[in-house]
Amino acid sequence: MSRNTALSAWPLPDAAPPEPAALTPPSRSVVLVGMPGCGKSSIGRRLSVKLGLPFVDADSEIEAAAGLPITDIFTRYGEPHFRDGERRVIARLLAGPPLVLATGGGAFTDARTRRAVAESGAVAVWLRCSLPVLLRRVAGREHRPLFLNRDPREVLERLMTARHPTFAEASVIVDCTDEPPETTTRRVMEALAAHREPARMKVRLAERSYDILVGEGLVARAGARLAPVLPARRVVVVTDATVGPLHLPALRAGLDAAGIAVVATIEVPPGEASKSFSQLERVVEAALAAGADRRTTVVALGGGVVGDLAGFAAAVALRGLPFVQIPTSLLAQVDSSVGGKTGINLGLGKNLVGAFHQPLLVLADTGVLATLPPRELRAGYAEVAKHGLLQGPLWDWCEAEGARAVAGDPAALAHAVLESCRLKAGVVAADEREESAEGGRALLNLGHTFGHALEAECGYDGTLLHGEAVALGLGLAAALSARLGFCSQELPGRVISHLQELGLPARIGDLPRGFSAERLMARMRKDKKVRDGAMRFVLLRGPGEAFTTAEVPPLAVESLLRDEGAKA
């Protein structure tokens, strides 16, 4: 089965493109949320003039629809009835042409209203004010029902505690001071112009479907993204000793802003050796000792090792905990964080113990890739090259633009992540558990049969990174394909030259240590993809034309290994 034939059966996920630089001409509504006194109406009126959109006050619309003042609606029918009507009015307004909408102070605290705002495509803006500013602004409002016969400070403090975590789910946050309203309006305009929605695509797996978000700044705003999908605002964060100091403070601040409690932070040593039974036991015991229950979500903050380990811990703890991936390496963003494969290694080989456990959400923050060491960035690029060989046009992009990605160019990296996730999301949706008899998800193992054997021989000690092993595997898979007559004789040279030019090893002889062809063959015979004792390989007819086969003579594989630098 060719890769092109297989691709036609894989539905491409829906990926929203990044937003334009400004809302001119206006294409979406703007919804202002915040505490009483934050200036939603005054800023909203000025904003509507700047944007050329109508201004609507939600409370006024509700009163007109009900024929009653809001205070009377509360008194006669209670808050649940009011919130239901409020949600319906807001949804109706947002279903029409773009507008600037000022909401009541409690509107955004209703989960259904927040969902209606998000589904409408509107941009929610939180006008965030400090308590002293709010106290000055609400002075003289003591006659209003909210403050009647109450201490304004006590009322505001209570409301801020209750509402700020949900206001934090707004797309844009603007801090308001005692500055003139015109100044705040200008800053809101600047914030709207600078705002970029992340690209979003869905992995469609029925009730296990989830979104992948790709963009910058997602770690710092993780709480806003996670809150709508978490079963409870409680998480256990698993990270490693390298990633934690770099990104954990921003993640914790983002979670705290959304009222998400971190019940435990579990740090593991960096490197492939952490994918072990001993670290799995430590992670599970630490999470349960901290009080994690079945509604506590495990958040993996790190590269592929952390994602695989934390995901497997989530799969087995209490027979299954919810799970979120926040990949911080290029390799994890383009490959391991998507698809639900989790697991640990054995001495016999890589990923021999594991489970399929799909995440609730994947946040691929491309901004954090700037903190990667060059070697890690190059290693992650090997998976991009793999996806290019599977997809076809992406390989053309790799040959033309891959050097920019390896050099850390943000636009090239964003393209690499987005296109890789698009490919993998479609593959996983069509063959979640790698059960297709031919092709399907197994094609994603291109280069991995060779690569896993090389990794295992190195003992997962860091001398050979996973991505480097994949690069070697791609070169060997292309060479084997040519030897067996499946592809042109020039393809291996193209693959090997491209990877070597970007600083990756692509031939066994590129490595500083030696390997035994006999030992590598023994490793490959224990690979989890072996069926009925026969090794299975993913081979190429050309870029975009991959296929799986067990019809590979072992002598041909052994001869290739020796010719590429392995000893007998």
Side-chain angles (χ1 to χ4, degrees), residues 25-372:
S27 59
R28 301 196 292 173
S29 293
V30 177
V31 178
L32 302 179
V33 305
M35 293 284 292
C38 71
K40 295 187 292 293
S41 295
S42 61
I43 300 302
R45 290 189 178 91
R46 291 170 171 81
L47 195 62
S48 71
V49 173
K50 297 281 187 182
L51 294 175
L53 296 176
F55 170 76
V56 176
D57 183 284
D59 283 354
S60 298
E61 288 289 314
I62 293 166
E63 290 180 334
L68 291 171
I70 286 176
T71 52
D72 288 355
I73 300 174
F74 264 84
T75 301
R76 292 188 187 185
Y77 304 107
E79 183 171 2
H81 177 86
F82 171 77
R83 294 297 175 206
D84 184 62
E86 179 182 54
R87 174 185 55 80
R88 286 187 278 109
V89 168
I90 289 174
R92 172 176 58 79
L93 291 168
L94 294 179
L99 76 163
V100 176
L101 179 65
T103 63
F108 208 64
T109 63
D110 184 86
R112 294 177 303 168
T113 298
R114 292 197 303 277
R115 187 162 55 250
V117 172
E119 291 174 351
S120 75
V123 181
V125 180
W126 177 17
L127 302 179
R128 183 167 60 185
C129 288
S130 65
L131 180 61
V133 170
L134 290 175
L135 283 170
R136 288 191 289 273
R137 290 185 177 181
V138 302
R141 298 186 184 184
E142 290 82 358
H143 63 285
R144 295 195 175 185
L146 188 65
F147 300 105
L148 191 62
N149 298 321
R150 298 177 183 175
D151 176 10
R153 176 181 291 273
E154 184 277 328
V155 171
L156 290 173
E157 286 178 340
R158 174 175 53 81
L159 291 177
M160 291 172 80
T161 299
R163 294 178 178 179
H164 275 199
T166 52
F167 290 159
E169 295 182 37
S171 300
V172 175
I173 300 174
V174 177
D175 286 306
C176 305
T177 66
D178 280 330
E179 65 196 6
E182 291 78 10
T183 303
T184 302
T185 303
R186 176 179 54 78
R187 293 199 297 111
V188 172
M189 287 287 294
E190 291 170 353
L192 288 171
H195 175 62
R196 299 290 185 275
E197 280 292 323
R200 180 187 296 264
M201 64 190 71
K202 187 172 289 292
V203 181
R204 299 189 180 279
L205 296 169
E207 72 278 1
R208 295 182 308 286
S209 296
Y210 57 92
D211 287 335
I212 306 167
L213 303 186
V214 180
E216 294 193 7
L218 294 176
V219 171
R221 296 297 312 281
R225 302 296 181 179
L226 265 59
V229 302
L230 298 184
R233 297 197 182 211
R234 291 164 47 86
V235 301
V236 169
V237 177
V238 181
T239 189
D240 69 32
T242 299
V243 172
L246 291 172
H247 305 302
L248 187 57
L251 175 62
R252 292 189 69 107
L255 295 173
D256 182 66
I260 299 173
V262 179
V263 301
T265 299
I266 305 167
E267 188 178 276
V268 300
E272 194 74 24
S274 284
K275 287 175 58 173
S276 65
F277 272 113
S278 61
Q279 289 297 330
L280 174 68
E281 180 181 22
R282 192 170 75 83
V283 169
V284 171
E285 286 193 344
L288 298 183
D293 57 29
R294 286 188 172 179
R295 289 168 55 82
T296 304
T297 298
V298 176
V299 175
L301 175 70
V305 169
V306 167
D308 284 359
L309 175 64
F312 191 34
V316 299
L318 301 178
R319 295 188 174 89
L321 300 181
F323 171 48
V324 165
Q325 286 269 23
I326 306 182
T328 59
S329 70
L330 179 59
L331 187 147
Q333 290 190 4
V334 302
D335 187 60
S336 61
S337 65
V338 178
K341 279 188 176 180
T342 71
I344 58 175
N345 304 328
L346 298 180
L348 292 174
K350 189 178 175 72
N351 297 330
L352 293 181
V353 178
F356 287 95
H357 191 54
Q358 299 294 345
L360 299 175
L361 183 69
V362 178
L363 298 181
D365 186 340
T366 55
V368 306
L369 300 179
T371 65
L372 285 180

